[in-house]
Amino acid sequence: MREASGASIVLTILILLLTLVATIGGITVDGLYRDNEFVWLAWWVNDRVTLYIGMPLLAGSFVATMRGIPSGRLLWLGMLWYLVYNYAFYLFGAAFNAHFLLYVALFILPTLALIAGLMELDISAIRASMPSRTTQRFVGGYMMTWGLMLGTIWATQAAAYLFDGTLPDLLAITGGETHLIAALDLSLVVPSFLLAGWWLWRGNPWGVVAGVIANVKGSVYCVVLAWGAHAGEQAGYPGGELLPLWSALVVLGVLAIVALLRPLRRPSHRRR
């Protein structure tokens, strides 16, 4: 694998610092979030998962990237993708607050770092250390199945409104007019899972790259959803019945990541 560029180093340090400010501020600053109680609870959970799990994973995987460990680079890219998706919710969905410019930065900077990291990838090294065809097809099949299921869920809700005017339940709970979750899932999550799954099924090395990135983001965010389901149930909101599903998806995502990364465990020789 190529060494991390100066741009990647600077961007990752900035991302870590700004994420620290955003999460600690979200946890400690009273009255920062101006949303209703259900959405406030989502931010309450999200800030803690990002601080306690997301930041250590991002920092640790980038250290591994700096040491020339190929699996570390893919995990780092996956955590950048998590931050892009995660802060899209804050930027486009949170009621305007004092952290607005932080959300702008934490949407743009991980996007730039992700692009830089992908440009530095040595795809030939990944091609030389591919998982078995069975592993690729198993993980690829799982990803395409989950992508289709998620897409069907949101498409069904859109179709219900089209035919009889039924609004999704989440709009009533969040008090919003736009279905941001469906919009981001249909535009970012579903295509990434379907494409990565198809590439893996066909034995394309980019399937390993996209598969790890998508599953890292998916696993960490499903921790958010699992904790949120539990916290919401305790507060009297619906969704607690989904806790086993989110927990299972965390486990399945981690297993997929491990299966794809096992052949890449050894550090690569750095190019001079």
Side-chain angles (χ1 to χ4, degrees):
M1 287 289 174
R2 299 178 178 90
E3 294 183 0
S5 66
S8 294
I9 295 171
V10 171
L11 285 169
T12 302
I13 292 173
L14 281 174
I15 290 164
L16 285 167
L17 290 174
L18 294 179
T19 304
L20 185 64
V21 173
T23 53
I24 290 181
I27 292 169
T28 62
V29 177
D30 188 39
L32 174 68
Y33 296 122
R34 300 171 44 249
D35 310 87
N36 68 26
E37 185 180 5
F38 178 81
V39 178
W40 174 87
L41 186 61
W43 304 141
W44 186 92
V45 170
N46 204 307
D47 285 334
R48 284 160 175 78
V49 172
T50 301
L51 178 63
Y52 303 150
I53 299 177
M55 287 191 63
L57 285 175
L58 177 64
S61 60
F62 190 65
V63 169
T65 300
M66 296 287 290
R67 294 176 60 188
I69 301 174
S71 57
R73 180 178 291 274
L74 296 185
L75 291 173
W76 168 59
L77 294 175
M79 286 310 303
L80 291 173
W81 183 231
Y82 164 78
L83 289 175
V84 172
Y85 178 83
N86 184 56
Y87 280 103
F89 280 107
Y90 288 79
L91 178 59
F92 302 116
F96 187 82
N97 62 53
H99 279 184
F100 176 75
L101 293 179
L102 270 177
Y103 304 151
V104 173
L106 286 171
F107 179 72
I108 294 174
L109 294 180
T111 301
L112 295 177
L114 181 60
I115 294 170
L118 288 170
M119 292 177 64
E120 295 162 8
L121 269 178
D122 184 356
I123 197 66
S124 62
I126 296 172
R127 182 180 288 109
S129 303
M130 294 282 284
S132 68
R133 292 292 290 128
T134 300
T135 297
Q136 291 179 63
R137 292 204 163 188
F138 187 84
V139 176
Y142 156 71
M143 295 188 71
M144 287 189 287
T145 299
W146 175 233
L148 287 171
M149 289 174 60
L150 184 60
T152 300
I153 290 170
W154 296 134
T156 300
Q157 293 188 17
Y161 179 77
L162 181 63
F163 289 112
D164 60 22
T166 302
L167 285 171
D169 292 338
L170 269 176
L171 292 183
I173 298 174
T174 61
E177 296 295 331
T178 59
H179 202 327
L180 184 59
I181 300 174
L184 292 178
D185 281 357
L186 287 171
S187 60
L188 299 179
V189 179
V190 171
S192 65
F193 264 70
L194 292 178
L195 184 59
W198 178 246
W199 277 341
L200 282 168
W201 191 267
R202 296 295 302 273
N204 189 319
W206 282 104
V208 174
V209 176
V212 172
I213 291 173
N215 278 294
V216 167
K217 174 264 158 192
S219 297
V220 178
Y221 207 82
C222 279
V223 174
V224 174
L225 295 173
W227 191 350
H230 173 71
E233 185 177 44
Q234 296 298 308
Y237 291 105
E241 69 279 1
L242 296 177
L243 177 58
L245 172 63
W246 304 134
S247 301
L249 289 174
V250 173
V251 174
L252 289 172
V254 170
L255 290 175
I257 294 164
V258 171
L260 294 176
L261 289 182
R262 284 188 67 184
L264 291 170
R265 284 180 299 177
R266 297 177 182 175
S268 60
H269 296 291
R270 295 187 175 185
R271 296 186 175 185
R272 302 292 184 183

